Amino acid sequence: MPIYNAPTKDIQFVLHDLLRISEQDIEGFDELDRDFTTAVVEEAGKVATEVLHPLNVVGDKEGCVMENGVVRTPAGFKEAFQQMRDGGWTAMDCDPEYGGQGLPYVIHTAAQEPFVSANMAFNMYQGLTHGAYSAIYAHGSAEQKQTYLPKMVSCEWTGTMNLTEPHCGTDLGLMRTKAVPDGDGSYKISGQKIFISAGEHDMAENIIHLVLAKIQGGPEGIKGVSLFIVPKFLVNEDGSLGQRNSVSAGKIEEKMGIHGNSTCVMNYDEAEGYLIGEEHKGMRAMFTMMNEARLGVGLQGYAQAESAYQNAVAYANDRLQGRDVTGAQNPDGPADPLIVHPDIRRNLMDQKSFTEGARAFTFWGAYLIDRAHRNQDADADGLISLMTPVIKGFLTDKGFEYATAAQQVYGGHGYIEEWGMSQYARDARIAMIYEGANGVQALDLVGRKLALDGGKHVMAFFEMIKTFVKENESHAVLNKDFLTPLKAASKDLQAAGMYFMQNATKPNNALSGSYDFMHMMGHVCLGLMWARMAKAAMEALDSGASDTEFYETKLATGRYYMARQLPATAMHLVRINTGGDTVMALEAANF
């Protein structure tokens, strides 16, 4: 059975050595001292390792089963979900008015990582509920908040998002689900939604579906979409549950991975629903949910890679194969362990340098969300809007890549189910697809986010890098190993942006290079994170930190990323500069 141990020391390093969260001028951050966050992160790690991780393989093997319209979750899931409720893990950053703890989003994110690494499919039940909570919290009426949020904060009721239909995924303007006013302020919702994670299950008293639908007579396309609350059970005025609504699960999808999550086809047959916000403004409310969800999905990408990496390291240290070319390292045994071989080291260093950089990038994104929301900081809001497609797209692409790289360390055993490595690859694969497929994330980045507010935020990002380099270039070691490669990568990214500007009249040139640009920007972001982490590690060593091995390991890992991974920006720039002609050369019939 695979292993998992929460990387609590690495999490604390990002929170305190890198982000210095307790020193930030953001409401509530002064409470996040090292003692407090240590208690939170270590307890989250304990729950992940002892409660959730043992159920990961159970969920994968058993899956969810539908019996007479009722979905049964895998053995142990209900009890574990109750432990999550009892521990307050579902309510960390929610508003105390509705039963939450009111903690910053960044500490919620830090606690979520071990849960996702330990059991991604299980954690989706509370993760989707959190997203639905956020949408109602931001756009719902006072009455809707009082009716639904307390039970959703505690996860006595869970939540979903219902977007996709059989004939439309990304292009939501094509949806057919309709909403008809019922004369009493409610609507009758009719239609079918597919791929609905946690759409039906046996772990909560009620399920609050957020459903996109079109009100008859509204504008065509995406401008005519509205968002509705459609509960599984109607809620009486006193808060008790009433009759069953006309919503049902038609079937459970048979999926490649995340078997422990009940991904359903949902049927709405004149179900009673309640408008959230204004008519025809549903996408604005849904994007509140989706932007948060996209950071969470980016976290899923690297969190699965982290779990897979831990197992690959253990196997590489244990499995005896061949001899070290420089001399036997295990002379009393028949062979040396795999980890002596340079190509295995390369593979593991690829994984390690990615996951640690990705953690820093994601937590920084969560910090920006806190700064935007708690301080009403428009610049932070613009910057996280720019970064969201990169966090989602780049981290999930690479997360899947490194989950399979960890599988490769096992050789043939990685392909055999009893070793459990295929689950990481299968579970990680969905993160590249849902909450906006990664190609769409790249189009969003290049087509919308770069030009947001006149390009203000991407220019601020470049200025952030320039300022960091200038402030620290007098440090010879930091400059040579980290700042010089960061400057080169940043110049590549700026050159790509300039190419898009110069070819603005030829949109296919920009769109053909959008995926490369997303990856280029992802590398630059991780390069910036590694440069900042290197500075933090050097400062810790200079101040006489007792755990010198930890900080020296951090520096060695960062040097690897800057030397072996960051130069990929040059390759992506060459691709972008070729334009769209080679991409668009074939007629459709010639593929």
Side-chain angles (χ1 to χ4, degrees):
M1 183 175 174
I3 61 167
Y4 173 70
N5 293 292
T8 55
K9 196 164 189 177
D10 288 287
I11 290 173
Q12 287 289 81
F13 171 79
V14 174
L15 291 176
H16 293 286
D17 295 70
L18 175 65
L19 297 178
R20 300 183 182 275
I21 55 173
S22 61
E23 302 170 21
Q24 300 299 322
D25 61 337
I26 302 175
E27 179 189 352
F29 272 48
D30 58 332
E31 300 176 9
L32 302 181
D33 59 52
R34 194 178 289 266
D35 287 342
F36 177 76
T37 60
T38 296
V40 171
V41 171
E42 289 188 353
E43 185 60 27
K46 183 178 179 182
V47 171
T49 302
E50 297 179 3
V51 179
L52 304 187
H53 181 252
L55 296 176
N56 198 37
V57 68
V58 175
D60 189 52
K61 298 298 184 186
E62 290 187 11
C64 297
V65 179
M66 178 177 284
E67 299 172 347
N68 300 318
V70 176
V71 173
R72 307 295 182 191
T73 50
F77 270 43
K78 289 176 72 172
E79 293 78 9
F81 204 60
Q82 186 60 50
Q83 285 185 253
M84 295 294 285
R85 291 191 192 104
D86 293 343
W89 298 110
T90 65
M92 290 184 66
D93 66 322
C94 299
D95 192 328
E97 182 177 349
Y98 306 106
Q101 299 170 35
L103 292 170
Y105 184 66
V106 69
I107 190 64
H108 163 84
T109 303
Q112 286 294 300
E113 182 195 317
F115 299 154
V116 176
S117 285
N119 196 325
M120 176 173 156
F122 174 90
N123 201 63
M124 288 170 64
Y125 290 97
Q126 67 153 331
L128 286 157
T129 305
H130 191 278
Y133 157 89
S134 296
I136 297 173
Y137 183 76
H139 300 281
S141 67
E143 182 181 358
Q144 288 171 339
K145 293 177 186 179
Q146 289 295 338
T147 300
Y148 299 103
L149 295 189
K151 296 286 189 179
M152 295 177 73
V153 166
S154 67
C155 270
E156 292 171 80
W157 300 351
T158 58
T160 69
M161 60 167 71
N162 285 238
L163 293 81
T164 307
E165 298 182 9
H167 57 284
C168 74
T170 300
D171 191 354
L172 293 172
L174 298 176
M175 72 172 55
R176 296 173 184 160
T177 300
K178 64 181 181 179
V180 179
D182 202 26
D184 60 357
S186 67
Y187 292 77
K188 294 298 185 186
I189 311 297
S190 298
Q192 186 179 78
K193 299 288 185 177
I194 62 172
F195 308 155
I196 308 307
S197 301
E200 174 62 39
H201 59 85
D202 59 355
M203 298 196 300
E205 298 172 351
N206 203 2
I207 301 175
I208 310 305
H209 301 288
L210 298 194
V211 183
L212 286 179
K214 289 185 174 181
I215 299 172
Q216 291 182 319
E220 292 295 317
I222 199 68
K223 294 182 179 179
V225 172
S226 301
L227 182 63
F228 299 88
I229 295 172
V230 186
K232 174 181 173 180
F233 288 97
L234 300 178
V235 182
N236 297 321
E237 288 187 9
D238 63 359
S240 63
L241 296 183
Q243 66 183 33
R244 176 72 185 257
N245 207 353
S246 299
V247 52
S248 61
K251 70 169 185 176
I252 300 176
E253 305 282 11
E254 294 186 26
K255 308 186 298 294
M256 175 180 174
I258 56 169
H259 296 153
N261 194 271
S262 54
T263 306
C264 299
V265 173
M266 301 302 299
N267 297 315
Y268 296 87
D269 184 14
E270 295 193 341
E272 188 167 319
Y274 315 102
L275 181 69
I276 298 179
E278 302 176 47
E279 290 186 354
H280 319 310
K281 303 292 184 182
M283 289 309 299
R284 181 172 62 182
M286 186 59 83
F287 270 109
T288 298
M289 191 175 181
M290 290 182 69
N291 285 333
E292 175 189 303
R294 284 171 176 169
L295 185 139
V297 172
L299 187 151
Q300 287 179 338
Y302 85 77
Q304 289 302 289
E306 168 68 33
S307 251
Y309 163 75
Q310 290 187 20
N311 284 277
V313 169
Y315 188 83
N317 277 287
D318 184 65
R319 177 74 165 173
L320 302 181
Q321 292 283 280
R323 287 294 186 190
D324 186 338
V325 293
T326 65
Q329 300 298 308
N330 180 34
D332 295 331
D336 290 331
L338 279 173
I339 203 164
V340 305
H341 302 302
D343 191 60
I344 295 294
R345 292 291 189 99
R346 172 204 58 77
N347 188 343
L348 294 174
M349 286 297 284
D350 280 347
Q351 296 173 53
K352 180 177 176 63
S353 63
F354 163 72
T355 56
E356 292 182 20
R359 176 180 297 114
F361 186 26
T362 303
F363 286 18
W364 179 57
Y367 155 82
L368 289 175
I369 289 175
D370 277 325
R371 179 167 287 282
H373 292 172
R374 289 173 174 253
N375 284 20
Q376 300 299 302
D377 188 327
D379 290 338
D381 189 56
L383 190 55
I384 189 56
S385 293
L386 173 69
M387 295 298 166
T388 295
V390 186
I391 292 172
K392 196 281 182 186
F394 180 69
L395 298 191
T396 59
D397 274 355
K398 289 295 182 180
F400 173 72
E401 177 183 335
Y402 292 127
T404 59
Q407 191 180 22
Q408 185 75 12
V409 171
Y410 282 69
H413 290 296
Y415 201 66
I416 302 300
E417 287 297 329
E418 69 181 86
W419 287 88
M421 294 304 290
S422 79
Q423 184 183 354
Y424 296 117
R426 288 185 287 104
D427 286 358
R429 185 65 182 86
I430 185 57
M432 301 163 69
I433 299 172
Y434 61 14
E435 304 305 336
N438 286 356
V440 176
Q441 301 300 320
L443 296 180
D444 177 47
L445 175 64
V446 170
R448 294 180 64 246
K449 298 300 176 61
L450 291 184
L452 190 67
D453 295 330
K456 171 183 176 181
H457 306 295
V458 71
M459 295 308 297
F461 175 62
F462 288 136
E463 188 62 31
M464 181 187 302
I465 295 174
K466 181 180 178 181
T467 299
F468 180 80
V469 170
K470 188 173 182 179
E471 289 176 348
N472 296 283
E473 60 189 354
S474 62
H475 193 301
V477 176
L478 187 65
N479 190 41
K480 174 180 175 292
D481 295 344
F482 293 89
L483 302 185
T484 297
L486 177 60
K487 282 190 291 185
S490 179
K491 286 180 180 178
D492 287 341
L493 187 63
Q494 291 177 67
M498 185 61 67
Y499 175 84
F500 292 155
M501 290 178 62
Q502 293 169 345
N503 286 267
T505 59
K506 300 176 181 179
N508 278 344
N509 282 351
L511 299 184
S512 296
S514 61
Y515 214 93
D516 281 285
F517 188 87
M518 180 179 73
H519 273 248
M520 181 189 288
M521 190 162 176
H523 278 298
V524 172
C525 288
L526 262 64
L528 176 60
M529 293 301 109
W530 269 118
R532 287 176 167 177
M533 286 192 285
K535 180 183 177 182
M538 289 176 184
E539 289 175 346
L541 289 169
D542 290 343
S543 67
S546 58
D547 194 351
T548 57
E549 185 178 17
F550 174 83
Y551 292 106
E552 288 171 353
T553 298
K554 194 66 68 177
L555 286 169
T557 305
R559 288 190 181 97
Y560 180 90
Y561 192 89
M562 305 307 275
R564 298 285 299 234
Q565 298 274 47
L566 194 55
T569 59
M571 173 195 70
H572 290 299
L573 179 59
V574 170
R575 288 177 175 176
I576 288 169
N577 283 334
T578 64
D581 290 345
T582 55
V583 174
M584 305 302 292
L586 293 182
E587 296 295 328
N590 294 332
F591 278 91

